[in-house]
Structure formats: structure tokens, C-alpha cells
């Protein structure tokens, strides 16, 4: 198992066939962007596509290394489109927004709302296949016990993410708010 995790860390599995699958996830983020802001520009679409590429080498999704995943996409955006798009990608992370004392970017809210366009069974299939669901469930266990089904957990996190995106509040998801712990 250790060799498989080394060759295929969770972040890479996520991008290849998991929650952040490199074709499906950008499509749902694009749909959420259209819902929130209207049609994105070519540069914004490019940022939607690359924003999670930094997960490629991450052994986990939400640990210290996983929190740094926006750096890769942000650096690509900077080289291609300039500083404005660097910040669009970097600040899709509420972690970085808080660190730099900035508001999260529009991409943050579209990213969170993308769960609205992700069918429950398809999301759960990908999350189980990549192994991400174990980490996500463990992170949320203070608010939703591990003994409840993945389907109930999905309904809970979906509601939280939709609220987060629509209200544009960086602390709407309890485990992302250090004060809630």
C-alpha cells in the first residue's frame, strides 16, 4: 500500500479519477462560475482548468502540503496571464486568502458551488475510488459522525458548500474555521 501511495498519492488520484478529476471538476466549476457571474473570459476559463493542478504531488488533500496546492496553478497563471490571474487562482484557497488577509477570489466561490453540479452518486464514486472520502470524512467528524453514511455526509457538505458560495463567507464550513474548533 505504501508503494501505491508513493506512486499515486491521493492528490494525483483525485486529479486523475477523484473529486478533482481534471475534466469533470473544471466543467462543474465552469457551470458554477456561469451561475454566479456569467460567462467567464478565456483567461478565467484557463484558470478554472488549472486551479487544482498542484494536487498532483500531494499525499493528502487538506494537510499542510495539500493547502499549498494553489501555488502550482497560480504560478502557471502568472506566467501565462499576469498577476491578476495569479491572485485569482491562489485565492481560490480560503487558506491563502486568510494568510494574506485578502478576500477569497471569485474562483473560490465557483469552486465551492461546483458541488451543486456534481451528482451525489458520481461524486461519491470518485471520492471512494481515489480514497479522498476517508480524509474528508475524518476532517468533518466533529460535526458529522463517521458512523453516518457517505450519502448523508455528502448532503451535509453539499449544503455547507452551497451556503458558503452563495453567502461568500469564508467560515461557513466549520472545519475550515479554526475558531469553531
Amino acid at each position: 500500500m505504501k508503494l501505491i501511495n508513493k506512486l499515486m498519492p491521493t492528490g494525483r488520484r483525485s486529479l486523475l479519477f477523484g473529486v478533482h478529476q481534471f475534466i469533470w471538476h473544471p466543467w462543474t466549476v465552469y457551470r458554477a462560475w456561469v451561475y454566479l457571474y456569467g460567462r467567464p473570459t478565456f483567461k478565467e476559463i484557463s484558470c478554472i482548468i488549472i486551479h487544482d493542478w498542484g494536487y498532483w504531488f500531494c499525499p493528502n488533500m487538506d494537510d499542510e502540503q495539500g493547502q499549498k496546492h494553489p501555488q502550482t496553478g497560480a504560478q502557471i497563471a502568472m506566467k501565462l496571464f499576469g498577476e491578476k490571474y495569479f491572485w485569482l487562482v491562489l485565492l481560490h484557497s480560503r487558506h491563502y486568502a486568510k494568510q494574506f488577509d485578502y478576500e477569497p477570489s471569485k474562483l473560490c466561490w465557483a469552486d465551492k458551488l461546483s458541488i451543486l453540479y456534481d451528482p451525489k452518486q458520481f461524486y461519491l464514486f470518485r471520492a471512494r475510488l481515489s480514497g479522498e472520502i476517508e480524509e474528508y470524512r475524518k476532517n468533518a467528524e466533529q460535526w458529522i459522525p463517521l458512523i453516518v453514511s457517505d450519502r448523508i455526509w455528502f448532503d451535509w457538505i453539499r449544503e455547507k458548500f452551497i451556503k458558503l458560495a452563495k453567502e461568500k463567507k469564508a467560515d461557513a464550513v466549520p472545519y475550515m474555521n479554526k475558531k469553531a474548533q
Side-chain angles (χ1 to χ4, degrees):
M1 191 63 162
K2 283 187 177 185
L3 179 62
I4 296 230
N5 285 338
K6 194 169 194 163
L7 294 174
M8 284 287 262
T10 304
R12 188 170 304 160
R13 293 193 309 261
S14 181
L15 288 168
L16 292 175
F17 48 81
V19 172
H20 298 90
Q21 201 280 332
F22 69 95
I23 297 169
W24 181 256
H25 180 61
W27 170 243
T28 61
V29 175
Y30 172 87
R31 292 182 66 195
W33 186 290
V34 169
Y35 174 87
L36 290 169
Y37 314 114
R39 189 177 163 161
T41 66
F42 171 78
K43 291 177 182 180
E44 290 165 340
I45 291 170
S46 300
C47 290
I48 288 168
I49 293 168
I50 67 172
H51 77 277
D52 282 331
W53 284 7
Y55 277 130
W56 188 256
F57 295 105
C58 294
N60 297 297
M61 304 305 292
D62 292 329
D63 66 359
E64 187 176 335
Q65 194 172 349
Q67 288 179 348
K68 294 178 181 176
H69 84 273
Q71 291 178 359
T72 301
Q75 290 169 352
I76 295 168
M78 174 73 127
K79 286 180 183 168
L80 293 174
F81 309 123
E83 187 176 356
K84 174 181 176 183
Y85 297 94
F86 169 86
W87 290 109
L88 177 68
V89 174
L90 190 71
L91 298 179
H92 93 271
S93 160
R94 291 169 291 149
H95 166 76
Y96 276 112
K98 187 181 283 189
Q99 181 179 330
F100 290 110
D101 200 28
Y102 289 138
E103 287 295 314
S105 72
K106 289 167 55 171
L107 184 53
C108 174
W109 311 123
D111 191 34
K112 296 308 168 213
L113 189 64
S114 70
I115 200 167
L116 181 64
Y117 300 100
D118 221 330
K120 181 191 306 190
Q121 289 306 102
F122 188 47
Y123 179 100
L124 290 174
F125 172 74
R126 295 186 340 265
R128 290 174 185 137
L129 190 62
S130 67
E132 291 166 88
I133 191 123
E134 295 168 17
E135 183 177 351
Y136 297 155
R137 294 289 313 267
K138 186 116 177 80
N139 287 343
E141 98 179 284
Q142 180 179 347
W143 297 276
I144 186 153
L146 294 173
I147 60 169
V148 303
S149 72
D150 291 346
R151 295 169 59 94
I152 292 171
W153 168 83
F154 176 86
D155 292 339
W156 176 81
I157 199 68
R158 184 176 194 260
E159 178 185 324
K160 298 293 181 193
F161 280 171
I162 290 169
K163 176 182 178 185
L164 174 85
K166 288 186 175 179
E167 295 180 9
K168 295 180 177 69
K169 288 186 177 175
D171 62 354
V173 178
Y175 72 80
M176 293 303 293
N177 180 1
K178 295 296 182 196
K179 293 177 186 167
Q181 294 182 2

